[in-house]
């Protein structure tokens, strides 16, 4: 029998031989790759291709083709949506007792929520926030609620002499904290109606930041305000902490998949297999403008007409726009015009640049053909 030391030496020798064999195989593999002809590498890369090499279709053409695709399972989808109407009374009951309603599930919930609001929330003043828009001016929304409550309280004070208003200055000029304090002081003794904020896509791109969510959470705490919202992003619950969910929003979660297409919500998202163009930019601008007030649309038209008539100029001076709008009785003060311009800037409808003489100039970031088409569609 061989000594124990000899057997150990033999095993070590065998292991080192295996390692050398593996190392030799690896070296041979990489040496063969280095000797591969460069033309072969190029052919391999060309065969792989790039996404940028694809001949993409115009987005308007692609959307038109998508619109022609017949929907499937229409009867089943309609029956599913109708089945949720049986829950309307329960939803209203929870709203009445201070809970917020959060709807989630696959499919657009826009039509479902608007039907619930129009048929069941008849005792509420419903204010709609389209969270799927690229930009939203939340302070303006909250100021609108405060102004409505102030008008109601004012009419009550006329019937009850001896009381004073709690805020004397216009709400848009107040700080956010002051407006929230005013809203939290309102009770049924002060105002007649409750407000319901109907938020489509509370997890939308314009509302995903912490500041917007904190703002909405504080508004939802006000005694005369209720919130009904929908969400579609899988990570939406990460927007809120425990306090916001249980104390401020007080969410009551409902799984309401509708399987309805996201026709309106996806207008602002470019299609992957489509090339961008002025047509899509014009369509996006039109959707935003139609959601604004008639006066805001008229102010935009004044600016657009000036830009078309003076294409070589750097833009329209803010003072000139104010003068023209004042002549047409579209605005009553510079503050009103500034609120419209803020709305335009938030939605990227207008760009501000410095004129050669130092004045602020306004310019719509659309070529003349696209701008003319936009005005025609705006009517």
């Amino acid at each position: 029998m061989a000594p124990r030391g000899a057997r150990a030496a033999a095993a070590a020798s065998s292991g080192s031989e295996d390692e050398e064999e593996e190392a030799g195989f690896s070296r041979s593999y990489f040496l063969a790759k280095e000797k591969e002809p460069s033309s072969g590498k190029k052919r391999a890369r060309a065969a792989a291709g790039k996404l940028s090499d694809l001949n993409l279709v115009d987005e308007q053409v692609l959307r038109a083709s998508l619109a022609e695709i017949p929907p499937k399972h229409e009867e089943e989808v309609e029956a599913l949506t109708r089945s949720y109407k049986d829950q309307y009374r329960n939803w209203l009951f929870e709203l009445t007792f201070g809970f917020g309603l959060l709807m989630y599930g696959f499919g657009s919930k826009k039509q479902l929520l608007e039907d619930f609001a129009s048929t069941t929330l008849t005792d509420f003043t419903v204010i709609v926030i389209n969270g799927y828009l690229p930009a939203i001016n939340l302070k303006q929304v909250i100021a609108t609620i405060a102004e409505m409550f102030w008008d109601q309280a004012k009419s009550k004070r006329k019937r009850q002499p001896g009381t004073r208003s709690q805020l004397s200055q216009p709400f848009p000029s107040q700080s956010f904290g002051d407006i929230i304090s005013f809203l939290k002081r309102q009770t049924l003794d002060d105002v007649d109606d409750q407000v319901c904020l109907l938020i489509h896509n509370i997890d939308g791109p314009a509302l995903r930041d912490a500041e917007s969510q904190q703002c909405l959470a504080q508004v939802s705490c006000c005694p005369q305000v209720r919130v009904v919202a929908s969400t579609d992003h899988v990570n939406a619950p990460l927007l809120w902490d425990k306090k916001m969910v249980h104390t401020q929003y007080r969410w009551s979660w409902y799984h309401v998949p509708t399987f309805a297409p996201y026709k309106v919500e996806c207008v602002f998202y470019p299609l992957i297999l489509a090339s961008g163009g002025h047509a899509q930019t014009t369509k996006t601008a039109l959707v935003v403008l139609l959601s604004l007030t008639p006066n805001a649309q008229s102010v935009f038209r004044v600016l657009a007409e000036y830009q078309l008539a003076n294409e070589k100029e750097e833009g329209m001076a803010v003072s000139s726009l104010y003068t023209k709008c004042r002549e047409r009785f579209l605005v009553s003060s510079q503050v009103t015009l500034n609120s419209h311009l803020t709305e335009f800037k938030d939605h990227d409808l207008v760009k501000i640049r410095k004129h050669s003489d130092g004045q602020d100039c306004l310019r719509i970031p659309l070529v003349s053909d696209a701008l003319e088409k936009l005005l025609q569609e705006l009517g």
Side-chain angles (χ1 to χ4, degrees), residues 133-150:
L133 292 174
I136 296 171
N137 190 341
L138 272 183
K139 185 178 179 182
Q140 186 176 1
V141 174
I142 296 166
T144 301
I145 300 173
E147 286 172 355
M148 188 195 73
F149 282 161
W150 191 83

Side-chain angles (χ1 to χ4, degrees), residues 113-285:
L113 294 188
E114 290 180 353
D115 181 68
F116 169 62
S118 61
T119 59
T120 310
L121 301 181
T122 52
D123 294 334
F124 289 81
T125 299
V126 179
I127 296 178
V128 179
I129 299 177
N130 294 318
Y132 51 78
L133 292 174
I136 296 171
N137 190 341
L138 272 183
K139 185 178 179 182
Q140 186 176 1
V141 174
I142 296 166
T144 301
I145 300 173
E147 286 172 355
M148 188 195 73
F149 282 161
W150 191 83
D151 289 339
Q152 292 182 12
K154 187 178 178 182
S155 63
K156 278 199 170 186
R157 283 193 298 272
K158 287 182 179 178
R159 299 193 297 267
Q160 302 171 1
T163 58
R164 294 184 179 181
S165 63
Q166 294 164 336
L167 278 180
S168 57
Q169 298 179 8
F171 285 101
S173 62
Q174 295 284 331
S175 68
F176 174 74
D178 290 338
I179 299 175
I180 291 296
S181 298
F182 170 78
L183 291 177
K184 288 184 175 180
R185 289 197 299 267
Q186 303 310 301
T187 63
L188 284 174
D189 296 331
D190 301 313
V191 297
D192 299 319
D193 298 331
Q194 286 186 318
V195 167
C196 179
L197 282 181
L198 188 65
I199 308 174
H200 297 299
N201 295 96
I202 195 172
D203 55 347
L207 299 176
R208 285 177 190 166
D209 58 288
E211 184 179 354
S212 297
Q213 290 298 326
Q214 285 290 347
C215 169
L216 290 171
Q218 290 185 54
V219 173
S220 66
C221 291
C222 301
Q224 298 304 105
V225 178
R226 300 291 182 267
V227 177
V228 178
S230 67
T231 180
D232 285 291
H233 200 286
V234 66
N235 292 326
L238 298 177
L239 293 172
W240 313 301
D241 56 29
K242 188 175 180 179
K243 176 184 176 183
M244 295 168 73
V245 171
H246 298 293
T247 308
Q248 295 179 316
Y249 284 120
R250 299 184 67 193
W251 288 133
S252 182
W253 302 68
Y254 282 94
H255 183 224
V256 287
T258 63
F259 298 96
Y262 296 96
K263 290 181 179 178
V264 179
E265 295 91 334
C266 290
V267 167
F268 300 94
Y269 292 89
L271 299 176
I272 295 175
L273 296 178
S275 60
H278 297 302
Q280 179 59 21
T281 307
T282 304
K283 186 176 180 180
T284 303

Side-chain angles (χ1 to χ4, degrees), residues 310-329:
N310 304 272
E311 294 183 10
K312 295 183 179 179
E313 292 191 12
E314 298 178 49
M316 186 177 189
V318 176
S319 56
S320 301
L321 178 62
Y322 174 67
T323 303
K324 285 187 175 291
C325 292
R326 188 73 185 264
E327 290 172 354
R328 300 186 188 186
F329 301 101

Side-chain angles (χ1 to χ4, degrees), residues 289-327:
L289 285 170
L290 290 176
S291 69
L292 302 180
T293 62
N295 268 15
Q297 295 175 20
S298 299
V299 171
F300 182 85
R301 182 178 291 277
V302 171
L303 177 59
E305 290 172 349
Y306 179 89
Q307 183 169 316
L308 290 172
N310 304 272
E311 294 183 10
K312 295 183 179 179
E313 292 191 12
E314 298 178 49
M316 186 177 189
V318 176
S319 56
S320 301
L321 178 62
Y322 174 67
T323 303
K324 285 187 175 291
C325 292
R326 188 73 185 264
E327 290 172 354

